[in-house]
Amino acid sequence: MALYNDIVMDHFLNPKNVGEIDNPDGTGIYGSPVCGDMMQIQIKVEGETITDAKFKTFGCGSAIASSSMATSMIIGKTIEEALEITNKQIIDELGGLPPVKVHCSVLADKAIKNAIYDYAQKNNKYYKALEGYDPEADEDDEHGEVEE
Amino acid sequence: MRNVYLDYSATTPVKEEVLKEMIPYFTEKFGNPSSLYDKGLESKDAVTHAREQVADLINAKPSEVYFTAGGTESDNWALFGTAEKLKSKGNHIITTKIEHHAILHSCAYLEKEGYEVTYLDIDKDGRISLKQLEEAITDKTILISIMLVNNEIGTVQPIKEAAAIAKKHGVLFHTDAVQGLGNVDIDVKDMGVDMMSMSSHKIYGPKGSGALYIRKGVVIDNYLHGGAQENRRRAGTENLTGIVGFGKAAELAKANFKGHVEHCSSLRNYLKDRIISEIPDTYVNGTMENRHPGNLNITFKYIEGESILLLLNQFGISVSTGSACSSTSLEPSHVLTALGVPVEMIHGTVRFTVGDFTTKEDIDYVVDNLKKIVARLREISSVNSKKGW
Ligand SMILES: Cc1ncc(COP(=O)(O)O)c(C=O)c1O
Ligand code: FES
């Protein structure tokens, strides 16, 4: 059996939204405390809608696929809607990740939230979902059980 | 699609000549070597012959070669057998930080049982310090276990000198020669080792077959208990086909030694030269001097090894990586960590090992695809030479 399913492989081999945005409205960077990888997500916002998102990722196949999926999921959504996305939803859209790779989707989830947080800070916006949000927090409790 | 296997340190294909020797022992020559009738004796002769073939490769006496189920069992037997036998003498073992898990996890188990283990460092070239080794010996030291050739960076340890130090202090010496067998000169008499682990599947023999060399006169406890096989020291009906195959593989390894080493090292060097000159920001881990002839361990800066591995796999190319992301524990390679390679650099490491069936065209195919893959992953990466980490 292959390490990843077809959807994950497709997003890894043909990732969508790779790159950087000129004059982004928000930039989020997050490093995975578990394995030491790094992801950057940038967003363009018009009104309350995310009109574009781009990513750059230093990490494994599943981190790249999660970035591709996560950016695809937020484009066209309002900020409020994007904030509701969880790493679980990213995994579901990807058709599942191996347990040891769950934290790579957390990386994508955090990078999105950080990009929106950056946007909110710069524009003095208030979102309930960001109340008490800590962009640096180490969210690795989502980490799957490891079977040897 | 082309298939290029560059992971010969993980395992090797069984050579045709080896398989041919093995086949009759599955079917018509299936007798139990312990049985007294002709069908048994025929099998017993085959085991005896294989023992001679293996002994011949390492310059041992056949009676000093004990067949096992592979490198892991040999390592476990050497450690647990010695620890148990000599527990009244002492509880201290010396090994290195770069051993295979078959040694490291056995040592961890012994630590739970009250043994003390010293793990020797390696220098920037990947070698232990003989001075640190000698200083680590105490009057409680019962065993020193140092691998001959490392499986990740291919560096060869000064086993002869280390074994001499052990002997001077009256301590037993074991070496894990699983990666060294057939790849570097091995003469157990000249090296002066007391025990040595070997595995068949790294030298074009079948998997699940190996041996422990135990020098005549060295006594350790048994690890498997049961029947009287292997001169009463390793119980269990012999893995007849595995042993016959291992014997033939050992014979071929001896006969082809020079050609094998030259073939592998010239292709390995060609691979290294092309990668280093054609792909920027790449580094070799471990010294190229005195190294496994087929081993190349490279860091591709700013990208991650599992991604490289997966993309190479798309082109039919098989390699391995020391990246944290690719291990189930999400820990970076303990060998590269001991070598002092920073974590973010370990991320981008790939181990290539060439072997007898590798061709120059294979290497060209790999480098041509590697260039594209590395460039593409660097485009995706959030770190680069301008931004830094
Ligand atoms: C250095 C070393 N020791 C031990 C082993 C284990 O050998 P086996 O696979 O035969 O159990 C290996 C194989 O991966 C190895 O490279
Ligand atoms: S980014 Fe390291 S395991 Fe996915």
Side-chain angles (χ1 to χ4, degrees), chain A residues 4 13 37 56-57 59 101, chain B residues 306-307 325 347 376 379-380:
Chain A
Y4 298 124
L13 294 173
D37 299 282
K56 287 234 160 186
T57 291
K101 295 288 181 178
Chain B
E306 187 209 272
S307 316
C325 301
H347 255 356
R376 188 151 160 249
E379 244 174 66
I380 298 178

Side-chain angles (χ1 to χ4, degrees), chain B residues 107-298:
Chain B
C107 284
Y109 184 90
L110 285 169
E111 283 179 299
K112 279 197 303 193
E113 298 289 299
Y115 288 83
E116 277 172 34
V117 182
T118 302
Y119 299 91
L120 301 175
D121 298 314
I122 51 167
D123 61 21
K124 62 173 184 10
D125 286 339
R127 284 197 243 285
I128 58 150
S129 145
L130 293 167
K131 186 163 167 282
Q132 195 195 16
L133 167 64
E134 187 149 20
E135 284 166 5
I137 299 173
T138 71
D139 57 356
K140 291 268 176 266
T141 309
I142 51 173
L143 178 67
I144 297 170
S145 177
I146 298 174
M147 74 198 315
L148 175 59
V149 175
N150 180 264
N151 44 306
E152 290 188 46
I153 53 176
T155 48
V156 182
Q157 299 300 336
I159 294 303
K160 185 175 175 176
E161 293 76 9
I165 291 171
K167 191 166 184 189
K168 186 172 117 190
H169 293 269
V171 178
L172 283 181
F173 190 91
H174 165 256
T175 186
D176 174 341
V178 167
Q179 293 289 342
L181 197 69
N183 288 307
V184 299
D185 269 316
I186 295 182
D187 176 331
V188 287
K189 295 279 152 2
D190 180 59
M191 285 157 65
V193 300
D194 297 305
M195 290 171 274
M196 184 173 87
S197 300
M198 297 167 265
S199 180
S200 147
H201 73 104
K202 312 283 185 181
I203 63 162
Y204 308 93
K207 295 167 185 50
S209 174
L212 182 64
Y213 158 80
I214 308 179
R215 187 172 60 75
K216 184 166 188 283
V218 171
V219 183
I220 62 170
D221 271 13
N222 288 356
Y223 182 58
L224 287 187
H225 304 272
Q229 293 88 355
E230 297 298 288
N231 203 16
R232 300 182 179 277
R233 295 180 83 168
R234 197 276 187 185
T237 298
E238 294 83 347
N239 172 6
L240 186 57
T241 51
I243 289 170
V244 167
F246 184 23
K248 185 66 185 178
E251 182 195 306
L252 293 177
K254 182 169 171 154
N256 302 339
F257 182 72
K258 212 162 156 277
H260 165 80
V261 170
E262 274 166 22
H263 174 82
C264 292
S265 55
S266 76
L267 287 177
R268 187 271 315 272
N269 293 344
Y270 176 61
L271 175 64
K272 179 195 86 154
D273 292 344
R274 277 206 65 187
I275 290 177
I276 297 295
S277 65
E278 296 177 41
I279 306 180
D281 292 318
T282 49
Y283 301 88
V284 175
N285 295 309
T287 174
M288 290 305 290
E289 289 209 353
N290 214 353
R291 182 178 182 125
H292 182 293
N295 172 287
L296 182 64
N297 190 299
I298 298 261

Side-chain angles (χ1 to χ4, degrees), chain B residues 313-332:
Chain B
N313 184 47
Q314 291 292 311
F315 293 96
I317 301 166
S318 314
V319 299
S320 69
T321 167
S323 166
C325 301
S326 71
S327 78
T328 41
S329 57
L330 295 175
E331 297 280 343

